[in-house]
Amino acid sequence: MQYPEAIAKLIESYSKLPGIGRKSATRLAFYTLGMSDDDVENFTKNLAASKSDLTFCRICGFITSKTDDPCVICTDPSRDQSKIFVIENSQDEMAIENTHDYHGLYHVLNGVLSPMEGRGPEDINITSLITRLADHPEIKEVIIGLDASTEGEATTLYLGRLIRPSGIKVTRLARGLSMGTNVDYADQLTLTQAVNGRTEL
Amino acid sequence: MQYPEAIAKLIESYSKLPGIGRKSATRLAFYTLGMSDDDVENFTKNLAASKSDLTFCRICGFITSKTDDPCVICTDPSRDQSKIFVIENSQDEMAIENTHDYHGLYHVLNGVLSPMEGRGPEDINITSLITRLADHPEIKEVIIGLDASTEGEATTLYLGRLIRPSGIKVTRLARGLSMGTNVDYADQLTLTQAVNGRTEL
């Protein structure tokens, strides 16, 4: 026996989302049936709008509405034009903005190098970064803020080698203990990096 | 700083789904941006169709398309008309159908009694069950197959008390060890029920 077509197809659509298996998709589909008409209508509108209204900023790669391209940060003259923060995706940019502590510009790679997934330098926003650095001599520092993972590490080293010859200062995020970590619970590598990167009191 | 409106709204919609918090909703929204136009279009169509094309079978309460009401099981003359399997929701019916071992009819309560959530007998399909039993003297057995939870248990006892006076046989699913359970890992209640309900070899 099969579910009626309309629900079977909705289960299909939900199970295409990442981290949502058949069981969860079925649960979500039945939950949808119980949602208010307004909520479902908004959901469909918002899904459609996400494809039609959004684009990646033509300068920095941040997600932006098509009516705001270049994005609000790239067009904000009050931002420090001498620094570029290189991150993997728009969510990372949002996390850094939420610290309210950085006032420079960004460059969103929209990916990291990953030989395993067949993603090379030409598949992420590296060329546009290099062109941007060449066109804007006012840029004095590139801060690389990629994930502390193997792929993030490889991409960081690659970018460092690529940018350093131009004479621009290249920095990376500090490694050490996260807030709240107990020294005896920290993993070996983190502890080694915290010792090597110790700062004067 | 805020995300562009289109993505913020999509995050909002995703986070209305059960078990999906702000972080997961953000992840799903960004994943949606990377989905093919076709997939997103199908998703929106399927969402809309789930509201417009589906209904609950007017006889048994199973989810069915509006063009198939009463549902395929209620209108199938080859099903055993003397048995009614009472379950909580359409997913449960699907699980039982997938065993290919039951050939009678169903009655979907679409809920269980829950004083905690303020759900009483009039909020679930109990009246329609009682009417159905009164109208169809060919029904000889009602099998109650609700979850082995406090609420499922309370609803089972309630239904038993309600139906038994009519002389119809009322049965419930067996309690005992699930397949693959080790005796020493089974909880006390399950083990007690398995001992009390022991069957002759």
Side-chain angles (χ1 to χ4, degrees), chain A residues 13 33 35 37 46 51 62, chain B residues 13 33 35 37 46 51:
Chain A
S13 282
L33 298 184
M35 279 165 71
D37 286 355
N46 297 340
K51 291 304 273 190
F62 183 64
Chain B
S13 281
L33 298 183
M35 279 165 71
D37 286 354
N46 297 340
K51 291 303 275 189

Side-chain angles (χ1 to χ4, degrees), chain A:
Chain A
M1 184 176 153
Q2 303 287 319
Y3 279 120
E5 196 187 357
I7 192 113
K9 279 186 166 177
L10 184 58
I11 294 172
E12 196 64 44
S13 282
Y14 272 125
S15 58
K16 284 192 177 162
L17 297 174
I20 296 188
R22 198 97 208 143
K23 278 264 175 188
S24 307
T26 307
R27 187 163 149 255
L28 291 176
F30 275 94
Y31 183 84
T32 308
L33 298 184
M35 279 165 71
S36 74
D37 286 355
D38 273 2
D39 277 353
V40 174
E41 204 187 314
N42 283 332
F43 194 0
T44 60
K45 267 195 219 150
N46 297 340
L47 275 169
S50 76
K51 291 304 273 190
S52 63
D53 296 0
L54 292 170
T55 185
F56 292 109
C57 170
R58 80 175 82 121
I59 297 177
C60 74
F62 183 64
I63 186 80
T64 186
S65 80
K66 281 185 179 160
T67 53
D68 279 332
D69 183 17
C71 73
V72 286
I73 292 191
C74 286
T75 53
D76 179 351
S78 76
R79 308 284 307 200
D80 178 352
Q81 309 285 320
S82 71
K83 291 191 181 68
I84 293 212
F85 210 126
V86 177
I87 63 253
E88 180 177 341
N89 56 42
S90 300
Q91 295 99 297
D92 294 343
E93 180 165 331
M94 200 51 89
I96 295 157
E97 278 296 288
N98 286 340
T99 66
H100 302 291
D101 208 48
Y102 174 75
H103 307 289
L105 302 172
Y106 292 93
H107 199 88
V108 187
L109 298 181
N110 284 317
V112 282
L113 299 178
S114 170
M116 295 284 285
E117 295 176 25
R119 209 161 42 237
E122 65 291 341
D123 298 314
I124 59 178
N125 283 342
I126 289 185
T127 318
S128 63
L129 172 64
I130 302 304
T131 318
R132 195 174 169 192
L133 296 178
D135 291 351
H136 293 273
E138 69 273 22
I139 298 169
K140 301 297 178 215
E141 181 178 357
V142 172
I143 304 161
I144 304 180
L146 300 175
D147 290 348
S149 62
T150 321
E151 296 172 347
E153 194 61 21
T155 313
T156 301
L157 296 176
Y158 180 85
L159 286 175
R161 266 208 307 272
L162 209 62
I163 302 170
R164 237 179 280 110
S166 67
I168 299 172
K169 185 172 160 192
V170 184
T171 57
R172 62 179 302 166
L173 294 184
R175 296 295 178 76
L177 302 182
S178 297
M179 272 306 288
T181 309
N182 292 334
V183 171
D184 58 340
Y185 272 84
D187 67 283
Q188 251 177 347
L189 196 58
T190 300
L191 209 50
T192 308
Q193 288 170 329
V195 173
N196 291 342
R198 66 194 178 279
T199 56
E200 207 169 307
L201 206 65

Side-chain angles (χ1 to χ4, degrees), chain B residues 50 97 139 200:
Chain B
S50 75
E97 278 296 286
I139 299 170
E200 206 170 306

Side-chain angles (χ1 to χ4, degrees), chain A residues 1, chain B residues 55-64 68-75 84-90 93 104-110 125-126 128-129 132:
Chain A
M1 184 176 153
Chain B
T55 187
F56 292 109
C57 170
R58 80 175 82 120
I59 297 177
C60 74
F62 184 64
I63 186 81
T64 185
D68 279 332
D69 182 17
C71 73
V72 286
I73 291 191
C74 287
T75 53
I84 293 214
F85 210 128
V86 176
I87 64 255
E88 180 178 342
N89 55 43
S90 299
E93 178 163 335
L105 302 172
Y106 291 92
H107 199 87
V108 187
L109 297 182
N110 284 317
N125 283 342
I126 289 185
S128 63
L129 172 64
R132 194 174 170 193

